[in-house]
Coordinates of all heavy atoms in Angstrom, one line a residue:
N1 N 44.7 -26.8 -24.5 CA 43.9 -28.0 -24.9 C 44.5 -29.2 -24.3 O 45.7 -29.5 -24.6 CB 43.9 -28.1 -26.4 CG 43.2 -26.9 -27.1 OD1 42.6 -26.1 -26.4 ND2 43.3 -26.8 -28.4
S2 N 43.7 -30.0 -23.6 CA 44.2 -31.2 -23.0 C 43.2 -32.3 -23.4 O 42.0 -32.2 -23.3 CB 44.2 -31.1 -21.5 OG 45.2 -30.2 -21.1
D3 N 43.8 -33.4 -23.9 CA 43.0 -34.6 -24.2 C 43.0 -35.5 -23.0 O 44.0 -35.6 -22.3 CB 43.5 -35.3 -25.5 CG 43.2 -34.6 -26.8 OD1 42.4 -33.6 -26.7 OD2 43.9 -34.9 -27.8
F4 N 41.9 -36.2 -22.8 CA 41.7 -37.2 -21.8 C 41.6 -38.6 -22.4 O 40.8 -38.8 -23.2 CB 40.5 -36.9 -20.9 CG 40.6 -35.5 -20.3 CD1 40.1 -34.4 -20.9 CD2 41.1 -35.4 -19.0 CE1 40.2 -33.1 -20.3 CE2 41.2 -34.1 -18.4 CZ 40.7 -33.0 -19.1
I5 N 42.4 -39.5 -21.9 CA 42.3 -40.9 -22.3 C 42.1 -41.8 -21.1 O 43.0 -41.7 -20.2 CB 43.6 -41.3 -23.1 CG1 43.8 -40.4 -24.3 CG2 43.5 -42.8 -23.5 CD1 45.1 -40.6 -25.0
V6 N 41.1 -42.5 -21.1 CA 40.7 -43.4 -20.0 C 40.6 -44.8 -20.6 O 39.8 -45.0 -21.5 CB 39.4 -42.9 -19.3 CG1 39.1 -43.9 -18.1 CG2 39.5 -41.5 -18.8
K7 N 41.2 -45.8 -20.0 CA 41.1 -47.1 -20.4 C 41.0 -48.1 -19.2 O 41.7 -47.9 -18.3 CB 42.4 -47.5 -21.2 CG 42.3 -48.9 -21.8 CD 43.5 -49.2 -22.7 CE 43.3 -50.6 -23.3 NZ 44.4 -50.9 -24.3
G8 N 40.0 -49.0 -19.3 CA 39.9 -50.0 -18.3 C 38.6 -49.9 -17.5 O 37.6 -49.3 -17.9
R9 N 38.7 -50.4 -16.3 CA 37.5 -50.5 -15.4 C 37.7 -49.5 -14.2 O 38.7 -49.4 -13.6 CB 37.4 -51.9 -14.8 CG 36.3 -52.1 -13.8 CD 36.4 -53.5 -13.2 NE 36.3 -54.6 -14.3 CZ 35.2 -55.3 -14.5 NH1 34.1 -55.1 -13.7 NH2 35.1 -56.2 -15.4
Y10 N 36.6 -48.7 -14.0 CA 36.6 -47.7 -13.0 C 35.2 -47.7 -12.3 O 34.2 -48.0 -13.0 CB 36.9 -46.3 -13.6 CG 38.2 -46.1 -14.1 CD1 38.5 -46.5 -15.4 CD2 39.3 -45.6 -13.4 CE1 39.8 -46.4 -16.0 CE2 40.5 -45.5 -13.9 CZ 40.8 -45.9 -15.2 OH 42.1 -45.7 -15.7
R11 N 35.2 -47.3 -11.1 CA 33.9 -47.1 -10.4 C 33.1 -45.9 -11.0 O 32.0 -46.0 -11.3 CB 34.1 -47.0 -8.9 CG 32.8 -46.8 -8.2 CD 33.0 -46.7 -6.7 NE 32.4 -47.9 -6.1 CZ 32.6 -48.2 -4.9 NH1 33.4 -47.5 -4.1 NH2 32.0 -49.3 -4.4
N12 N 33.7 -44.8 -10.9 CA 33.1 -43.5 -11.4 C 34.2 -42.6 -12.1 O 35.2 -42.4 -11.5 CB 32.5 -42.7 -10.3 CG 31.3 -43.4 -9.7 OD1 30.3 -43.6 -10.5 ND2 31.3 -43.7 -8.4
V13 N 33.9 -42.1 -13.2 CA 34.7 -41.2 -13.9 C 33.9 -39.9 -14.2 O 32.8 -40.0 -14.7 CB 35.3 -41.8 -15.2 CG1 36.0 -40.7 -16.0 CG2 36.2 -42.9 -14.9
V14 N 34.5 -38.7 -13.9 CA 33.9 -37.5 -14.3 C 34.9 -36.6 -15.0 O 36.0 -36.4 -14.5 CB 33.4 -36.7 -13.0 CG1 32.8 -35.4 -13.4 CG2 32.4 -37.5 -12.3
V15 N 34.6 -36.2 -16.2 CA 35.4 -35.3 -17.0 C 34.6 -34.1 -17.4 O 33.5 -34.2 -17.9 CB 35.9 -36.0 -18.3 CG1 36.7 -35.0 -19.2 CG2 36.8 -37.2 -17.9
N16 N 35.2 -32.9 -17.1 CA 34.5 -31.6 -17.5 C 35.6 -30.8 -18.2 O 36.6 -30.4 -17.6 CB 34.0 -30.9 -16.3 CG 33.1 -29.8 -16.6 OD1 33.1 -29.3 -17.8 ND2 32.3 -29.3 -15.7
S17 N 35.5 -30.6 -19.5 CA 36.5 -30.0 -20.3 C 36.0 -28.9 -21.3 O 34.9 -29.2 -21.9 CB 37.3 -31.1 -21.1 OG 38.2 -30.5 -22.0
N18 N 36.7 -27.8 -21.4 CA 36.3 -26.8 -22.4 C 36.7 -27.1 -23.8 O 36.0 -27.0 -24.7 CB 36.8 -25.4 -21.9 CG 36.0 -24.8 -20.9 OD1 34.7 -25.0 -20.8 ND2 36.6 -24.1 -20.0
Y19 N 38.0 -27.6 -24.0 CA 38.5 -27.7 -25.3 C 39.1 -29.1 -25.6 O 39.5 -29.3 -26.7 CB 39.6 -26.6 -25.6 CG 39.0 -25.2 -25.6 CD1 39.0 -24.4 -24.5 CD2 38.3 -24.8 -26.7 CE1 38.4 -23.2 -24.5 CE2 37.7 -23.5 -26.7 CZ 37.8 -22.7 -25.6 OH 37.2 -21.5 -25.6
G20 N 39.3 -29.9 -24.6 CA 40.0 -31.2 -24.9 C 39.0 -32.3 -25.4 O 37.8 -32.2 -25.1
N21 N 39.6 -33.2 -26.1 CA 38.8 -34.4 -26.5 C 38.9 -35.4 -25.4 O 39.8 -35.5 -24.6 CB 39.4 -35.0 -27.8 CG 39.3 -34.0 -29.0 OD1 38.3 -33.4 -29.2 ND2 40.5 -33.8 -29.6
C22 N 37.9 -36.3 -25.4 CA 37.9 -37.4 -24.4 C 37.7 -38.7 -25.0 O 36.8 -38.9 -25.8 CB 36.7 -37.1 -23.4 SG 36.7 -38.2 -22.0
F23 N 38.6 -39.6 -24.7 CA 38.6 -41.0 -25.3 C 38.5 -42.0 -24.1 O 39.3 -42.0 -23.2 CB 39.9 -41.3 -26.0 CG 40.2 -40.3 -27.1 CD1 41.0 -39.2 -26.9 CD2 39.6 -40.4 -28.4 CE1 41.2 -38.2 -27.9 CE2 39.9 -39.5 -29.4 CZ 40.7 -38.4 -29.1
L24 N 37.4 -42.8 -24.1 CA 37.2 -43.9 -23.2 C 37.3 -45.2 -23.9 O 36.4 -45.5 -24.7 CB 35.9 -43.7 -22.4 CG 35.8 -42.5 -21.5 CD1 35.1 -41.4 -22.3 CD2 35.0 -42.8 -20.3
N25 N 38.4 -45.9 -23.8 CA 38.7 -47.1 -24.5 C 38.5 -48.3 -23.7 O 39.0 -48.4 -22.6 CB 40.1 -47.1 -25.1 CG 40.4 -45.8 -25.9 OD1 39.5 -45.4 -26.7 ND2 41.6 -45.3 -25.8
T26 N 37.8 -49.3 -24.2 CA 37.4 -50.5 -23.5 C 37.1 -50.2 -22.1 O 37.6 -50.7 -21.1 CB 38.5 -51.6 -23.6 OG1 39.8 -51.1 -23.1 CG2 38.7 -52.1 -25.0
F27 N 36.1 -49.2 -22.0 CA 35.8 -48.7 -20.7 C 34.6 -49.5 -20.0 O 33.7 -49.8 -20.7 CB 35.3 -47.2 -20.9 CG 34.9 -46.5 -19.6 CD1 35.8 -46.1 -18.7 CD2 33.5 -46.4 -19.3 CE1 35.4 -45.5 -17.5 CE2 33.1 -45.8 -18.1 CZ 34.1 -45.3 -17.2
L28 N 34.8 -49.7 -18.7 CA 33.7 -50.3 -17.9 C 33.6 -49.5 -16.7 O 34.5 -49.3 -15.9 CB 34.1 -51.7 -17.6 CG 33.1 -52.7 -18.2 CD1 33.7 -53.6 -19.2 CD2 32.5 -53.6 -17.1
G29 N 32.4 -49.0 -16.4 CA 32.1 -48.2 -15.2 C 31.1 -47.1 -15.5 O 30.5 -47.0 -16.5
N30 N 30.8 -46.3 -14.4 CA 29.9 -45.2 -14.5 C 30.7 -44.0 -14.9 O 31.9 -43.8 -14.6 CB 29.3 -44.9 -13.2 CG 28.4 -46.1 -12.7 OD1 27.6 -46.6 -13.4 ND2 28.7 -46.5 -11.5
A31 N 30.1 -43.1 -15.7 CA 30.8 -41.9 -16.2 C 29.9 -40.8 -16.5 O 28.7 -41.0 -16.9 CB 31.6 -42.2 -17.5
K32 N 30.4 -39.6 -16.2 CA 29.7 -38.3 -16.7 C 30.8 -37.5 -17.4 O 31.8 -37.2 -16.8 CB 29.2 -37.5 -15.5 CG 28.1 -38.2 -14.8 CD 27.5 -37.4 -13.6 CE 26.4 -38.1 -13.0 NZ 25.7 -37.3 -12.0
I33 N 30.6 -37.4 -18.7 CA 31.6 -36.7 -19.6 C 30.9 -35.5 -20.2 O 29.9 -35.6 -20.9 CB 32.0 -37.7 -20.7 CG1 32.4 -39.0 -20.1 CG2 33.1 -37.0 -21.5 CD1 33.6 -39.0 -19.2
Y34 N 31.5 -34.3 -19.9 CA 31.0 -33.0 -20.4 C 32.2 -32.3 -21.1 O 33.2 -32.1 -20.6 CB 30.5 -32.2 -19.3 CG 29.5 -32.8 -18.4 CD1 29.9 -33.1 -17.0 CD2 28.3 -33.2 -18.8 CE1 29.0 -33.7 -16.2 CE2 27.4 -33.8 -17.9 CZ 27.7 -34.1 -16.6 OH 26.8 -34.7 -15.8
T35 N 31.9 -31.9 -22.4 CA 32.9 -31.0 -23.1 C 32.1 -29.9 -23.7 O 30.9 -30.0 -24.0 CB 33.6 -31.8 -24.2 OG1 32.7 -32.1 -25.3 CG2 34.3 -33.1 -23.7
R36 N 32.9 -28.8 -23.9 CA 32.3 -27.6 -24.6 C 32.6 -27.7 -26.1 O 31.7 -27.6 -26.9 CB 32.8 -26.4 -24.0 CG 32.3 -25.1 -24.6 CD 32.8 -23.9 -23.9 NE 31.9 -22.8 -24.1 CZ 30.9 -22.5 -23.3 NH1 30.7 -23.2 -22.2 NH2 30.1 -21.5 -23.5
N37 N 33.9 -27.9 -26.4 CA 34.3 -28.0 -27.8 C 35.1 -29.2 -28.2 O 35.5 -29.3 -29.3 CB 35.2 -26.7 -28.1 CG 34.4 -25.4 -28.0 OD1 33.4 -25.2 -28.7 ND2 34.9 -24.6 -27.1
G38 N 35.2 -30.2 -27.3 CA 35.9 -31.4 -27.6 C 35.0 -32.5 -28.0 O 33.9 -32.6 -27.7
N39 N 35.6 -33.4 -28.8 CA 34.9 -34.6 -29.2 C 35.0 -35.7 -28.2 O 36.0 -35.7 -27.4 CB 35.5 -35.2 -30.5 CG 35.3 -34.2 -31.7 OD1 34.3 -33.6 -31.8 ND2 36.4 -34.0 -32.5
I40 N 34.1 -36.6 -28.2 CA 34.0 -37.7 -27.2 C 33.9 -39.0 -27.9 O 33.0 -39.2 -28.8 CB 32.9 -37.6 -26.2 CG1 32.9 -36.2 -25.5 CG2 32.8 -38.7 -25.2 CD1 31.7 -35.8 -24.8
A41 N 34.8 -40.0 -27.7 CA 34.8 -41.3 -28.2 C 34.7 -42.3 -27.1 O 35.6 -42.3 -26.2 CB 36.0 -41.6 -29.1
L42 N 33.7 -43.1 -27.1 CA 33.4 -44.1 -26.0 C 33.4 -45.5 -26.7 O 32.7 -45.7 -27.6 CB 32.1 -43.8 -25.3 CG 31.6 -44.9 -24.4 CD1 32.5 -45.1 -23.2 CD2 30.1 -44.6 -24.0
Q43 N 34.2 -46.4 -26.1 CA 34.1 -47.8 -26.5 C 33.8 -48.6 -25.2 O 34.6 -48.6 -24.2 CB 35.5 -48.3 -27.0 CG 35.5 -49.7 -27.5 CD 36.9 -50.1 -27.9 OE1 37.8 -50.0 -27.2 NE2 37.0 -50.7 -29.1
T44 N 32.6 -49.2 -25.2 CA 32.2 -49.9 -24.0 C 31.2 -51.0 -24.3 O 30.9 -51.3 -25.5 CB 31.5 -48.9 -23.0 OG1 31.3 -49.6 -21.7 CG2 30.2 -48.4 -23.5
K45 N 30.7 -51.7 -23.3 CA 29.7 -52.7 -23.5 C 28.8 -52.7 -22.2 O 29.2 -52.3 -21.2 CB 30.2 -54.1 -23.8 CG 31.1 -54.7 -22.6 CD 31.6 -56.1 -22.9 CE 32.4 -56.6 -21.8 NZ 32.8 -58.0 -22.0
D46 N 27.6 -53.2 -22.4 CA 26.7 -53.4 -21.2 C 26.6 -52.1 -20.4 O 26.9 -52.1 -19.2 CB 27.1 -54.6 -20.4 CG 27.2 -55.9 -21.2 OD1 26.4 -56.0 -22.1 OD2 28.0 -56.7 -20.9
A47 N 26.0 -51.1 -20.9 CA 25.9 -49.8 -20.2 C 24.6 -49.1 -20.7 O 24.2 -49.3 -21.8 CB 27.1 -48.9 -20.4
N48 N 24.0 -48.3 -19.8 CA 22.9 -47.4 -20.1 C 23.6 -46.1 -20.5 O 24.2 -45.4 -19.6 CB 22.0 -47.2 -19.0 CG 21.3 -48.5 -18.6 OD1 20.9 -49.3 -19.5 ND2 21.2 -48.8 -17.3
I49 N 23.4 -45.6 -21.7 CA 24.1 -44.5 -22.2 C 23.1 -43.4 -22.7 O 22.2 -43.7 -23.5 CB 25.1 -44.8 -23.4 CG1 26.1 -45.9 -22.9 CG2 25.8 -43.6 -23.9 CD1 26.8 -46.6 -24.1
V50 N 23.3 -42.2 -22.2 CA 22.6 -41.1 -22.7 C 23.6 -40.1 -23.3 O 24.5 -39.6 -22.6 CB 21.7 -40.4 -21.6 CG1 21.0 -39.2 -22.1 CG2 20.7 -41.4 -21.0
A51 N 23.5 -39.8 -24.6 CA 24.5 -38.9 -25.2 C 23.7 -37.8 -26.0 O 22.8 -38.0 -26.7 CB 25.3 -39.7 -26.2
T52 N 24.2 -36.5 -25.7 CA 23.6 -35.4 -26.4 C 24.7 -34.5 -26.9 O 25.8 -34.4 -26.3 CB 22.7 -34.6 -25.5 OG1 23.4 -34.1 -24.4 CG2 21.5 -35.4 -25.1
S53 N 24.5 -33.9 -28.1 CA 25.4 -32.8 -28.6 C 24.5 -31.7 -29.2 O 23.7 -32.0 -30.1 CB 26.3 -33.4 -29.7 OG 27.2 -32.4 -30.2
K54 N 24.7 -30.5 -28.7 CA 23.9 -29.4 -29.2 C 24.2 -29.1 -30.7 O 23.3 -28.9 -31.5 CB 24.1 -28.2 -28.4 CG 23.2 -27.0 -28.7 CD 23.4 -25.9 -27.7 CE 22.4 -24.8 -28.1 NZ 22.5 -23.7 -27.2
N55 N 25.4 -29.1 -31.1 CA 25.8 -28.7 -32.5 C 26.6 -29.7 -33.2 O 27.0 -29.5 -34.4 CB 26.6 -27.3 -32.4 CG 25.8 -26.2 -31.9 OD1 24.6 -26.0 -32.2 ND2 26.3 -25.5 -30.9
G56 N 26.9 -30.8 -32.6 CA 27.7 -31.9 -33.2 C 26.9 -33.1 -33.7 O 25.7 -33.1 -33.5
L57 N 27.6 -34.1 -34.2 CA 27.0 -35.3 -34.6 C 27.2 -36.4 -33.6 O 28.2 -36.4 -32.9 CB 27.6 -35.8 -35.9 CG 27.5 -34.8 -37.1 CD1 28.3 -35.3 -38.3 CD2 26.1 -34.6 -37.5
I58 N 26.2 -37.3 -33.5 CA 26.3 -38.5 -32.7 C 26.2 -39.7 -33.5 O 25.3 -39.9 -34.3 CB 25.2 -38.5 -31.6 CG1 25.3 -37.3 -30.7 CG2 25.3 -39.8 -30.8 CD1 24.2 -37.2 -29.7
K59 N 27.3 -40.6 -33.5 CA 27.3 -41.9 -34.1 C 27.4 -42.9 -33.1 O 28.3 -42.9 -32.2 CB 28.5 -42.0 -35.1 CG 28.5 -41.0 -36.2 CD 29.7 -41.1 -37.1 CE 29.7 -40.1 -38.2 NZ 30.9 -40.2 -39.0
T60 N 26.5 -43.9 -33.2 CA 26.5 -44.9 -32.1 C 26.2 -46.3 -32.7 O 25.3 -46.5 -33.5 CB 25.5 -44.5 -31.0 OG1 25.5 -45.5 -29.9 CG2 24.0 -44.4 -31.5
E61 N 26.9 -47.3 -32.1 CA 26.5 -48.7 -32.4 C 25.6 -49.1 -31.3 O 25.5 -48.5 -30.2 CB 27.8 -49.5 -32.3 CG 28.8 -49.3 -33.5 CD 30.0 -50.2 -33.4 OE1 30.2 -51.0 -32.5 OE2 30.8 -50.0 -34.3
E62 N 24.9 -50.2 -31.5 CA 24.0 -50.7 -30.5 C 24.8 -51.3 -29.4 O 25.7 -52.2 -29.6 CB 23.1 -51.8 -31.1 CG 22.0 -52.3 -30.1 CD 21.0 -53.2 -30.8 OE1 20.7 -53.0 -32.0 OE2 20.4 -54.0 -30.0
I63 N 24.5 -50.9 -28.2 CA 25.2 -51.4 -26.9 C 24.1 -52.0 -26.1 O 23.0 -51.5 -25.9 CB 25.8 -50.2 -26.2 CG1 26.7 -49.3 -27.0 CG2 26.5 -50.7 -24.9 CD1 28.0 -50.0 -27.5
N64 N 24.5 -53.2 -25.5 CA 23.6 -53.9 -24.6 C 23.3 -53.1 -23.4 O 24.2 -52.4 -22.8 CB 24.2 -55.3 -24.2 CG 24.3 -56.2 -25.4 OD1 23.6 -56.1 -26.4 ND2 25.2 -57.1 -25.2
T65 N 22.1 -53.1 -22.9 CA 21.8 -52.4 -21.7 C 22.5 -53.1 -20.5 O 22.5 -54.3 -20.5 CB 20.2 -52.4 -21.4 OG1 19.6 -51.7 -22.5 CG2 19.9 -51.7 -20.2
G66 N 23.0 -52.3 -19.6 CA 23.7 -52.9 -18.5 C 23.6 -52.1 -17.2 O 22.8 -51.2 -17.1
F67 N 24.4 -52.5 -16.2 CA 24.4 -51.9 -14.9 C 24.9 -50.5 -14.9 O 24.5 -49.6 -14.1 CB 25.2 -52.8 -13.9 CG 25.3 -52.3 -12.6 CD1 24.2 -52.3 -11.7 CD2 26.5 -51.7 -12.1 CE1 24.4 -51.8 -10.4 CE2 26.6 -51.2 -10.8 CZ 25.6 -51.3 -10.0
H68 N 26.0 -50.2 -15.6 CA 26.6 -48.9 -15.6 C 25.9 -47.8 -16.3 O 25.2 -48.0 -17.3 CB 28.0 -49.1 -16.2 CG 28.9 -50.0 -15.4 ND1 29.2 -51.3 -15.9 CD2 29.5 -49.9 -14.2 CE1 30.0 -51.9 -15.0 NE2 30.2 -51.1 -14.0
Q69 N 26.0 -46.6 -15.7 CA 25.3 -45.4 -16.2 C 26.4 -44.5 -16.8 O 27.3 -44.1 -16.1 CB 24.6 -44.7 -15.1 CG 23.6 -45.5 -14.4 CD 22.4 -46.0 -15.3 OE1 21.9 -45.2 -16.1 NE2 22.0 -47.2 -15.1
I70 N 26.2 -44.1 -18.1 CA 27.1 -43.2 -18.7 C 26.4 -42.0 -19.3 O 25.4 -42.2 -20.2 CB 28.0 -43.9 -19.8 CG1 28.8 -45.1 -19.2 CG2 28.9 -42.9 -20.5 CD1 29.5 -45.9 -20.2
E71 N 26.7 -40.8 -18.9 CA 26.1 -39.6 -19.4 C 27.1 -38.8 -20.2 O 28.2 -38.5 -19.7 CB 25.5 -38.8 -18.3 CG 24.8 -37.5 -18.7 CD 24.3 -36.7 -17.6 OE1 24.4 -37.1 -16.4 OE2 23.8 -35.6 -17.9
I72 N 26.8 -38.5 -21.4 CA 27.7 -37.7 -22.3 C 27.0 -36.5 -22.8 O 25.9 -36.6 -23.4 CB 28.2 -38.6 -23.5 CG1 29.0 -39.8 -23.0 CG2 28.9 -37.8 -24.5 CD1 29.3 -40.8 -24.1
K73 N 27.6 -35.3 -22.6 CA 27.1 -34.1 -23.1 C 28.2 -33.2 -23.7 O 29.2 -33.1 -23.1 CB 26.4 -33.3 -22.0 CG 25.1 -33.9 -21.4 CD 24.5 -33.0 -20.4 CE 23.2 -33.6 -19.8 NZ 22.6 -32.7 -18.8
T74 N 27.9 -32.7 -24.9 CA 28.9 -31.7 -25.5 C 28.1 -30.7 -26.2 O 26.9 -30.9 -26.6 CB 29.8 -32.5 -26.4 OG1 30.7 -31.5 -27.0 CG2 29.1 -33.2 -27.6
I75 N 28.7 -29.5 -26.3 CA 28.0 -28.4 -27.0 C 28.4 -28.4 -28.5 O 27.5 -28.5 -29.3 CB 28.3 -27.0 -26.3 CG1 27.7 -27.0 -24.9 CG2 27.7 -25.9 -27.2 CD1 28.1 -25.8 -24.1
N76 N 29.7 -28.4 -28.8 CA 30.1 -28.3 -30.2 C 30.9 -29.5 -30.6 O 31.3 -29.5 -31.8 CB 31.0 -27.0 -30.3 CG 30.2 -25.8 -30.1 OD1 29.1 -25.6 -30.6 ND2 30.8 -24.9 -29.3
G77 N 31.0 -30.5 -29.8 CA 31.8 -31.7 -30.2 C 30.9 -32.8 -30.8 O 29.7 -32.8 -30.7
N78 N 31.6 -33.7 -31.4 CA 30.9 -34.9 -31.9 C 31.1 -36.1 -30.9 O 32.0 -36.1 -30.1 CB 31.6 -35.3 -33.3 CG 31.4 -34.3 -34.3 OD1 30.3 -33.7 -34.4 ND2 32.4 -34.0 -35.1
V79 N 30.2 -37.0 -31.0 CA 30.2 -38.2 -30.1 C 30.2 -39.4 -30.9 O 29.4 -39.6 -31.9 CB 29.0 -38.2 -29.2 CG1 29.0 -39.4 -28.3 CG2 28.9 -36.9 -28.3
S80 N 31.1 -40.4 -30.6 CA 31.2 -41.7 -31.3 C 31.1 -42.7 -30.2 O 31.9 -42.7 -29.2 CB 32.5 -41.8 -32.0 OG 32.6 -43.1 -32.5
I81 N 30.2 -43.7 -30.3 CA 30.0 -44.7 -29.3 C 30.1 -46.0 -30.1 O 29.3 -46.3 -31.0 CB 28.6 -44.6 -28.6 CG1 28.5 -43.3 -27.9 CG2 28.5 -45.8 -27.6 CD1 27.2 -43.0 -27.3
T82 N 31.1 -46.9 -29.7 CA 31.2 -48.2 -30.3 C 31.2 -49.3 -29.2 O 31.6 -49.0 -28.0 CB 32.6 -48.3 -31.1 OG1 33.6 -47.9 -30.2 CG2 32.5 -47.3 -32.3
K83 N 30.9 -50.5 -29.6 CA 30.8 -51.6 -28.7 C 32.2 -52.3 -28.6 O 32.8 -52.6 -29.6 CB 29.8 -52.6 -29.2 CG 29.5 -53.7 -28.3 CD 28.4 -54.6 -28.8 CE 28.1 -55.7 -27.8 NZ 27.0 -56.5 -28.2
S84 N 32.6 -52.5 -27.4 CA 33.9 -53.2 -27.1 C 33.5 -54.7 -27.0 O 32.4 -55.1 -26.7 CB 34.6 -52.7 -25.9 OG 33.8 -52.8 -24.8
Q85 N 34.5 -55.5 -27.1 CA 34.3 -57.0 -27.0 C 34.3 -57.4 -25.6 O 34.8 -56.9 -24.7 CB 35.5 -57.7 -27.7 CG 35.6 -57.3 -29.2 CD 34.3 -57.7 -29.9 OE1 33.7 -58.7 -29.8 NE2 33.9 -56.8 -30.8

């Protein structure tokens, strides 16, 4: 099990994990995050976000629409999306 922690500004981030959790803190950029059993926590602002979880929960704060595209998919994990300052 490996957790992924990403913080800051990136052009493109892709994470594909079977068991690790993924944390994107004060994140700015495009991202595609896929997990099978790991939870995903995203803190961002001004992004177009599409998040799905087949068997988990999704909790999200309202995020302003923006230039960056973020796609989040998990099968058994939970997703938490919060707005950064």
Side-chain angles (χ1 to χ4, degrees):
N1 297 352
S2 296
D3 288 346
F4 298 89
I5 301 172
V6 180
K7 183 174 182 177
R9 180 184 297 256
Y10 295 85
R11 176 179 249 171
N12 289 300
V13 171
V14 177
V15 174
N16 193 343
S17 173
N18 279 327
Y19 294 100
N21 298 312
C22 185
F23 304 94
L24 293 95
N25 301 323
T26 56
F27 178 79
L28 243 113
N30 298 309
K32 292 184 179 184
I33 310 298
Y34 308 111
T35 69
R36 183 177 205 91
N37 295 301
N39 297 319
I40 301 167
L42 167 66
Q43 182 187 51
T44 191
K45 63 178 181 178
D46 302 328
N48 298 317
I49 303 166
V50 176
T52 59
S53 178
K54 185 173 181 180
N55 299 313
L57 301 174
I58 297 176
K59 295 180 183 177
T60 183
E61 292 181 357
E62 187 172 332
I63 306 291
N64 295 335
T65 301
F67 176 75
H68 296 105
Q69 305 294 319
I70 300 174
E71 180 180 359
I72 296 172
K73 290 185 181 180
T74 180
I75 295 174
N76 297 312
N78 297 319
V79 177
S80 172
I81 300 170
T82 56
K83 185 175 182 177
S84 61
Q85 300 302 318

